[in-house]
Each structure stands twice: as C-alpha cells, then as structure tokens.
Amino acid sequence: MNDVNRVLQVDGLRTEFHTLGGVVRAVNGVSFHLDRGEVLGVVGESGCGKSVSVMSLLQLIPNPPGRIVDGTAFLGDRDLLAMSQSEIRKVRSVEIGMIFQDPMTSLNPVLTIGTQIAEPLVEHKEMSWNEALDASIELLDKVGIPDAAERINDYPHQFSGGMRQRVMIAIALACAPPILIADEPTTALDVTIQAQILELLNDLRHSEGMGMILITHDLGVIARLADRVAVMYAGQVVETGSAEDVYGNPSHPYTQGLLESLPRHDQEHSSSERLTSIDGQPPNMLDPIAGCPFAERCKYVFDRCKSENPNLFVLNGNHSAACWWDIENECERTIE
Amino acid sequence: MNVNEPLNNKSMLSVKNLKVHFPIRRGILQRQVGAVRAVDGITFDILRGETFGLVGESGCGKTTTGRAILQLYEPTAGEIEFDGVALAHLDSKSMRDMRKRMQMIFQDPFASLNPRLSVGATIAEPIRIHSTVDNQKVQDRVNHLLEVVGLSPDVASRFPHEFSGGQRQRVGIARALASEPDFIVCDEPISALDVSIQAQVVNLIEDLRADIGLTYLFIGHDLSMIRHISDRVAVMYLGHIVELAETDRLFVNALNPYTVSLISAIPVPDPVIEAKRQRIVLQGDVPNPANPPKGCLFSTRCPLVVDECRTNRPELKEWRPGHYAACHRIDEMGAGKGLPPISLQQNLGQVSQ
Ligand SMILES: Nc1ncnc2c1ncn2[C@@H]1O[C@H](COP(=O)(O)OP(=O)(O)OP(=O)(O)O)[C@@H](O)[C@H]1O
Ligand SMILES: Nc1ncnc2c1ncn2[C@@H]1O[C@H](COP(=O)(O)OP(=O)(O)O)[C@@H](O)[C@H]1O
Ligand code: SF4
Ligand code: SF4
Ligand SMILES: [Mg+2]
Ligand SMILES: [Mg+2]
C-alpha cells in the first residue's frame, strides 16, 4: 500500500454462493492489484470467477445466495468491502466505472441515452440537468457516436450493439473515474466492431490516464491491450505477470496449454496438423477441491498436486505461478 | 460464371446463384413491405473431401446458406446440386434418401438437443427414421457412435443436462453421424464452447473427416480456427461472397478490402506482435440487409471507396486460378498485373493512419 501509484489492492478475496446443490466457492483466495493508468487483463474460461471477483469489489454480489467470506480490497486507503451501501454507490460511479458484456441489459430501455449519461453527473457532480446534458453530448462525441447532439434524445433500442457499448462507456466515463472495469466488453460484438471498441479503450487509457481491469476469455484481446495479465482457473489466480512474461514464458501448465491450443490466423497451418488440446474439462465448482484445481487435466501432475493446493510462487519480478512443478527446470518447487 | 470448376477433384456440392430472401410484413393485413436479402446470389462448389470455410460477421447470411443447402429453407432463386443431382427437382422419396447424406452440427449444443430424450434415444432417432433395423442393431450402432465421438457407451441412458457443453457438442456430432452422411454443415460448432474445449472438438471434427471421408461446410466467425481447419475459404458480406480462395492464399494475399480489414481486426494472442501490428479499424456498422447500399456493398465502410463504388456493384472475378474477389480497385492495386496484392494492405494501412 506504500506505492503511490497503486490505485487498487485486492488480497485473499473469497466469495461463495450457497445453492441447493451445495456451496460454490466461486472466488477462492484471489489477490491482484492495479496501478495508475495500467491495463490489467483477467483471462479464464466461463465460470472461473472473473465476474464474481470484480462484482465482489463493488459489493454487487446478490446476497443471498452470495457472500464475501474473506479478503480486503483497498481503493487507496479505504477498504471497498467494508464500505456502507451509500459509500460504495458513490464509488461505483465516481471512482470506478463499469461496463458489461451485454449493454442492452445494463441500459434502461425506457430512458433516453442522454438522461442515462446525465444522471450520475447530476447526482454526484452537482451539475444542473442542462449542464449535465451538455456534458453528455461531449461524452457521446468522445466515444465516437456521430451527431451526438441529436442522439442523446434516442432510446437504447435505436442503437446498434456497438453503439450501445459506446454509450455504456460514456456512462462509465461520465464522472471521470480513475479506474474502469470492463467485463467482456466486446464478447457480444462482431470483430470489426470489437476492433473499434478496443481502439476506443486504448485511446481513453492514454488520453485520460485511466487504469483498467479488462476481463475476457479471449487471449488475443488481452494481448492487444493489457500491460499485465492474471490468468484465472477454478476461482483462483494461477499465473500473473507482465503480458510479455505470461505470453512469452507461460509458467503454469494451464496457461501453457491454452496458448498452445490456439490456432493463429497469422501463421500457416498444414491441414494435417492437429491442435494441441487440453484433455478433460474444468472442475465442477460444487465439488470441494483438495489439491491443485488443474490436477485432473495436467500433464505434469504428481503426488503432491493431489493433496496440496500450490502457493503462488514468485518466478521473477512480478511474474508468479501457482504450481508445484517448475516446467523449465523439470523439478519440484520448494518453499523457501 | 462457374466459380471453381473442379479441376481433377469431383464436386460434392454445387451452389449456383443461390438467393434466400425473407419477406418483411407489416400491418394488420401482413402485407409484404420489403425483403431481407439474407443470401443474395452466391455461387460456389465444395469438392469431395474438402473442408470449405464460410466466414463473415453476424447476419451476413452464413447460417441461411447452410440451411438452404440442407433444404431447411426454400431458396428464393438459384440451384443446389448435391453429388450431381439438382435437389429442387427430386420427388419426396429421393429427397429423403438425399437428406440422409447431408447433416448439420449446430452452434448451440444447449439448444440443439431435446432435453427430454436420453442421449441414446437422441442418437437412435435418425437411425430409426432412415432405416428399418432391429433394436439390438440400433443399440450397437448408438454405442459405436458414442465411442467414435469420444464418449463412453455407458452415458447412453443419461440426459443432455447432465453433460458439459463440449460433451453435448459430441452428442450432437454423434447424432449427425447416425444416418451415415457424406456431407455435414458445421454451423459455428465451437463458438459456444470454452477455449480449452474448442481444440478437442475441432480435433474430433478433423479426425472424422479423415476416418469416415466426410466433406464439410464449416461456418465460423473465428478466422484463426477457419484458417486452421479449411482448405478453401469464402468471405461473405451482406448476403454476397466478396472473396473466395485457397486458405493460405486468402490469409496472405487477400484482394478484397473487406477481407483485409476483417483479418486485420482479429487480435493475435501475442503482445509483442500486437504492439507492432498495423490495424485497419473500419468505421460504422454493417448496413441493414433489408436496405443494402446501391453500389458496392462495402462502400459505406470501405477505406478505399471511390465514386464508382457508390453506383456500380463489382462482380466476383477470378484474378488468379481459384482466387475470386469482388472490388473495382483490385486491378489498380496491381493484382491484375500480377503484382503482389500486398500493396492493397499498404494502401489500407495508410488510409487508416
Ligand atoms: N427466418 C428468418 N426470417 C427473417 N429474417 C431472417 C431469418 N433468418 C435469418 N434472417 C435474417 O437474414 C440475415 C442473415 O442471417 P443468418 O442467420 O444467415 O446470418 P449469419 O451469417 O448466420 O449470422 P450469425 O453469425 O449471427 O450466426 C440476417 O439479417 C437475419 O436477421
Ligand atoms: N448468483 C449466483 N448464484 C450461484 N452461483 C453463482 C452466481 N453467480 C455466479 N455463480 C457461480 O460462480 C462461479 C463464477 O462465476 P463468474 O464469476 O460469473 O464466472 P466468469 O469467470 O465466467 O465471469 C460459477 O461457478 C458460477 O456458476
Ligand atoms: S500443481 Fe501439479 S497439477 Fe497443478 S498445475 Fe502444477 S504440476 Fe499441474
Ligand atoms: S469496390 Fe470500392 S467500396 Fe467496394 S471494396 Fe472495392 S474499393 Fe471498396
Ligand atoms: Mg463473466
Ligand atoms: Mg449463424
């Protein structure tokens, strides 16, 4: 917490859901941080706990069935998890902006676009409605909506998917928060529209100096934008480091397997070449996991993996992996 | 024009000038006020044993093309020949026989299986419809098919909700194989699956092609997977094919500005390459297929648009053997003069700076 550039520091976050089938340990001891103006990419497959991690920070987990059972999340020197409802509500628009996968469900269908962008400005920035609507036009313009002055009177259904996502970004940006959390912001969009949105996020990062947590299952999207990467598997961060380290020297068997399994459109493929796949499937989060959550699918698995969940080992600088096996040196890792 | 007149290889499927328009109806009388031109005149052949990739953005007409080939939609115009036989003129008995030979694997393994049928019954259904065999033989065949797709025969009595997405997709594949088809339309068979499961299913699909001798129409929007799996690729935009070529040729030497932009839009899973890559970011959205632009369909977004593009629609022309593309400016860019069309990418790159 002594680093002046550290804007967010999350430690040991645990979130559970109590369902009829049993307890889902959706987020199981997750730690990560975000520095001023950097993009942290969080990647992992569906259900691994990416969304629940960030929803937990913002106290957006429905309770019941959900419950944050452990952890801290410091925004500067204030713990988000300890805040009252009114405090966290203010944080959600003024200090941390948020955009989601499906802009249609997060926009209000019966309010004009202008009203939805202006609302947080009136509520939190003490602007009059007229000032706030003028600011909305500027914001829409900034996110690349043509004829912004006219479009503020339109309703969400009058916009295409890509434009709605731009509107969501405009709302998230309204109070100029220093942090933006984007949860699968381009997953529902076509690739040419995805390219537009990624370009916009990249521009905003540079022009506004905004720190960003970008959640996606697409390793290409992360490679495009992220400075640092956290790879999640079954509710845990299994590898984290700079994008160069994680992609260039993947050190967790899951990260390695994922990168190997991806075909590339910029490389030639012979038609007889098979993809290198990871066997098996992600664990059922209802079953308690004793050892390493990846053990059933891992080609390096050995005895220890089945009984002990590995520590996050620091490999060098800020590159770490939660694995008992040192792939490079072909030996077991030991705790100093 | 006869696109890809098969050279030595025999054509399995031949699609000629296929159109599928959906009427738009309004008012109490449901009068037709227009039409969505979902597929608007496409021509291509699929050779026996090949995997033919069809790519394009949402709504460009890929699924409609696949369904029209399988006679699930009635074409508005055009002809479809399967193994040399025109499907439109078949009597219903011959059509049933033909239907056995053409199957489909769907995008959503959750929606495409009947939740009330056990997996065994799901796979047995097409076997019973298409042939009269006794129960034991059906059972044996179901067990065999489950093994072929990498599932244990023990799962036959279970129901779809007990399976993961990847397993359900395997069941869908087993069902498609049940009538012993020689041609399968794979409509985005992996896009609903987790990244770590996609490679497993793609490997299965490729192994089956080799083992059983299948021919595929593989529909997708993931160009990386399309490059991996296809022998040839057609790119669709607003109901038309704008480029068609052998896979490597298309990815290395695309001639149509939309193809080049589409390829450039897909990020590569390598941050070092991404940091240096030149990107073309197209402005605006895909136009409404009920009201397509007059001239070139891409003219509303194309970085290289000139006046001619707004009035005349370019035709799909063969620029090199087997490489077809539609664009007025290809000649000028050098492709017609035998120059490497990389100049097109450079031109696009400059425009986008
Ligand atoms: N039954 C139908 N009635 C009316 N319009 C339809 C029908 N089916 C498809 N369309 C329209 O036809 C066009 C092409 O649709 P199609 O489903 O073939 O696209 P696609 O390329 O498969 O897209 P995606 O990538 O989203 O699956 C779209 O504009 C779609 O809305
Ligand atoms: N409201 C809920 N009730 C029960 N389980 C939930 C709820 N929300 C999420 N989960 C479970 O938590 C786990 C992590 O989910 P999530 O964070 O949404 O995954 P993703 O990484 O795809 O964003 C999953 O097993 C999911 O089923
Ligand atoms: S701890 Fe063991 S099972 Fe887990 S990833 Fe490492 S080697 Fe594989
Ligand atoms: S014909 Fe014109 S608008 Fe169409 S792709 Fe070629 S240059 Fe672009
Ligand atoms: Mg999610
Ligand atoms: Mg489709």
Side-chain angles (χ1 to χ4, degrees):
Chain A
M1 211 71 18
N2 25 29
D3 190 337
V4 288
N5 280 321
R6 183 72 33 104
V7 286
L8 187 67
Q9 175 76 45
V10 177
D11 284 299
L13 184 66
R14 279 180 210 281
T15 305
E16 297 176 350
F17 291 96
H18 292 257
T19 67
L20 288 178
V23 179
V24 178
R25 294 192 171 75
V27 175
N28 200 0
V30 160
S31 305
F32 59 88
H33 64 86
L34 185 71
D35 287 343
R36 194 176 307 283
E38 82 170 340
V39 177
L40 170 69
V42 180
V43 67
E45 43 208 325
S46 135
C48 73
K50 306 180 295 293
S51 301
V52 171
S53 298
V54 294
M55 304 286 257
S56 301
L57 303 186
L58 297 173
Q59 294 193 28
L60 287 172
I61 298 293
N63 178 2
R67 209 152 62 86
I68 300 171
V69 291
D70 201 5
T72 54
F74 279 93
L75 180 72
D77 55 7
R78 293 163 300 153
D79 187 355
L80 294 170
L81 304 183
M83 281 184 184
S84 70
Q85 279 306 309
S86 68
E87 281 175 295
I88 194 78
R89 248 177 69 81
K90 186 153 188 197
V91 166
R92 286 203 291 258
S93 40
V94 181
E95 294 180 83
I96 303 180
M98 182 120 202
I99 54 182
F100 300 95
Q101 171 167 352
D102 182 1
M104 202 50 195
T105 56
S106 17
L107 289 171
N108 187 333
V110 300
L111 293 182
T112 63
I113 296 298
T115 310
Q116 298 188 55
I117 305 176
E119 214 166 57
L121 292 169
V122 174
E123 188 179 339
H124 300 295
K125 293 275 156 170
E126 280 125 37
M127 284 191 192
S128 71
W129 272 100
N130 274 334
E131 288 167 343
L133 284 170
D134 284 344
S136 310
I137 297 173
E138 255 173 62
L139 282 158
L140 271 190
D141 198 48
K142 184 190 262 174
V143 298
I145 302 271
D147 309 319
E150 281 122 64
R151 301 306 304 252
I152 59 161
N153 299 315
D154 287 349
Y155 292 88
H157 72 89
Q158 292 167 282
F159 283 63
S160 70
M163 285 161 80
R164 280 184 218 132
Q165 199 53 289
R166 288 174 190 269
V167 171
M168 277 304 299
I169 297 174
I171 294 174
L173 292 179
C175 299
I179 299 175
L180 181 72
I181 295 179
D183 188 356
E184 309 260 9
T186 60
T187 304
L189 305 176
D190 266 322
V191 288
T192 62
I193 310 300
Q194 162 170 293
Q196 295 172 2
I197 299 294
L198 295 180
E199 184 93 341
L200 173 63
L201 291 176
N202 196 41
D203 290 347
L204 289 171
R205 172 245 293 248
H206 292 300
S207 63
E208 319 289 306
M210 217 165 33
M212 236 178 256
I213 299 179
L214 175 68
I215 298 176
T216 165
H217 62 274
D218 185 330
L219 283 151
V221 168
I222 299 267
R224 161 93 174 82
L225 278 190
D227 305 302
R228 271 188 318 109
V229 183
V231 181
M232 285 189 70
Y233 190 79
Q236 301 179 21
V237 172
V238 294
E239 179 159 0
T240 176
S242 70
E244 281 74 17
D245 281 345
V246 172
Y247 283 79
N249 183 22
S251 300
H252 191 283
Y254 173 64
T255 318
Q256 219 178 41
L258 266 191
L259 287 168
E260 276 171 6
S261 76
L262 292 181
R264 296 267 299 256
H265 70 74
D266 61 335
Q267 288 170 1
E268 210 169 305
H269 296 257
S270 87
S271 54
S272 57
E273 200 181 324
R274 292 178 103 247
L275 294 172
T276 316
S277 66
I278 304 177
D279 288 341
Q281 55 198 51
N284 182 345
M285 304 280 275
L286 276 173
D287 303 331
I289 303 162
C292 168
F294 192 58
E296 268 185 41
R297 309 175 74 186
C298 182
K299 59 181 177 191
Y300 302 102
V301 61
F302 60 104
D303 284 350
R304 184 172 200 177
C305 313
K306 293 180 187 146
S307 55
E308 281 178 80
N309 196 350
N311 302 43
L312 199 61
F313 288 95
V314 176
L315 309 173
N316 65 61
N318 61 17
H319 187 192
S320 5
C323 176
W324 293 124
W325 191 247
D326 181 342
I327 302 174
E328 209 174 351
N329 300 309
E330 298 181 29
C331 64
E332 193 176 337
R333 287 205 168 94
T334 46
I335 309 167
E336 279 104 75
Chain B
M1 180 189 47
N2 193 353
V3 175
N4 359 285
E5 183 69 56
L7 305 165
N8 313 314
N9 227 327
K10 214 172 144 230
S11 161
M12 176 104 236
L13 181 85
S14 172
V15 173
K16 294 202 187 85
N17 200 24
L18 175 70
K19 294 187 183 179
V20 185
H21 295 180
F22 295 106
I24 304 172
R25 299 182 192 281
R26 291 264 159 75
I28 326 172
L29 297 176
Q30 287 293 293
R31 286 230 328 264
Q32 182 172 345
V33 294
V36 178
R37 298 160 163 267
V39 173
D40 203 21
I42 62 172
T43 300
F44 61 93
D45 275 33
I46 301 184
L47 308 182
R48 193 177 296 277
E50 86 170 331
T51 299
F52 187 87
L54 191 59
V55 294
E57 294 178 273
S58 177
C60 71
K62 307 180 294 294
T63 299
T64 306
T65 302
R67 296 184 65 98
I69 289 171
L70 298 184
Q71 306 291 296
L72 299 170
Y73 285 146
E74 193 184 338
T76 308
E79 267 180 57
I80 297 160
E81 271 179 28
F82 183 74
D83 210 5
V85 181
L87 297 183
H89 309 304
L90 289 181
D91 60 53
S92 56
K93 159 85 176 64
S94 323
M95 191 59 223
R96 262 202 311 279
D97 291 343
M98 209 53 120
R99 284 294 307 274
K100 264 172 66 172
R101 301 181 52 194
M102 311 163 79
Q103 292 296 325
M104 187 147 180
I105 304 172
F106 299 89
Q107 166 167 359
D108 185 352
F110 298 88
S112 62
L113 298 177
N114 182 342
R116 294 175 191 204
L117 279 189
S118 73
V119 157
T122 298
I123 300 169
E125 204 176 41
I127 306 177
R128 292 216 166 84
I129 291 173
H130 290 298
S131 55
T132 39
V133 283
D134 66 67
N135 271 339
Q136 188 52 48
K137 285 218 179 87
V138 172
Q139 223 25 268
D140 291 348
R141 178 123 181 87
V142 167
N143 291 348
H144 172 70
L145 285 167
L146 283 169
E147 275 172 5
V148 165
V149 298
L151 293 171
S152 149
D154 307 342
V155 306
S157 59
R158 297 214 222 139
F159 288 82
H161 73 262
E162 299 174 63
F163 293 86
S164 70
Q167 290 171 324
R168 270 183 251 209
Q169 200 53 289
R170 288 177 193 271
V171 174
I173 294 171
R175 181 182 156 90
L177 294 176
S179 65
E180 298 180 53
D182 17 32
F183 172 71
I184 299 184
V185 174
C186 308
D187 189 2
E188 311 228 19
I190 54 160
S191 47
L193 304 179
D194 266 328
V195 188
S196 80
I197 306 298
Q198 291 185 355
Q200 295 175 4
V201 173
V202 164
N203 282 342
L204 172 64
I205 289 175
E206 291 192 291
D207 291 347
L208 291 172
R209 174 172 82 151
D211 297 348
I212 313 183
L214 291 167
T215 301
Y216 291 129
L217 172 63
F218 194 97
I219 296 173
H221 64 260
D222 175 353
L223 277 111
S224 307
M225 202 55 93
I226 287 283
R227 178 162 194 184
H228 169 77
I229 202 167
S230 316
D231 299 303
R232 290 186 301 143
V233 178
V235 180
M236 281 186 83
Y237 190 75
L238 278 179
H240 289 254
I241 291 179
V242 298
E243 184 151 13
L244 189 164
E246 256 171 46
T247 304
D248 282 331
R249 162 125 310 157
L250 186 101
F251 279 89
V252 177
N253 279 338
L255 294 173
N256 176 288
Y258 176 65
T259 310
V260 177
S261 314
L262 192 64
I263 294 171
S264 120
I266 320 262
V268 173
D270 182 335
V272 181
I273 293 179
E274 271 303 310
K276 293 189 293 225
R277 248 178 111 214
Q278 246 194 6
R279 254 175 296 271
I280 302 152
V281 178
L282 292 177
Q283 305 302 307
D285 286 312
V286 180
N288 180 350
N291 185 18
K294 242 207 235 90
C296 173
L297 295 160
F298 190 47
S299 57
T300 55
R301 304 170 82 197
C302 181
L304 297 181
V305 61
V306 290
D307 282 347
E308 185 190 8
C309 310
R310 296 201 179 89
T311 49
N312 295 340
R313 189 166 294 173
E315 274 196 51
L316 196 62
K317 278 203 285 198
E318 187 171 20
W319 297 93
R320 291 214 204 86
H323 191 163
Y324 300 78
C327 170
H328 292 306
R329 300 196 62 190
I330 292 175
D331 233 341
E332 194 186 319
M333 305 290 166
K337 306 183 186 87
L339 296 174
I342 194 74
S343 57
L344 177 65
Q345 299 199 26
Q346 280 161 358
N347 271 290
L348 280 164
Q350 277 155 19
V351 175
S352 73
Q353 300 277 292

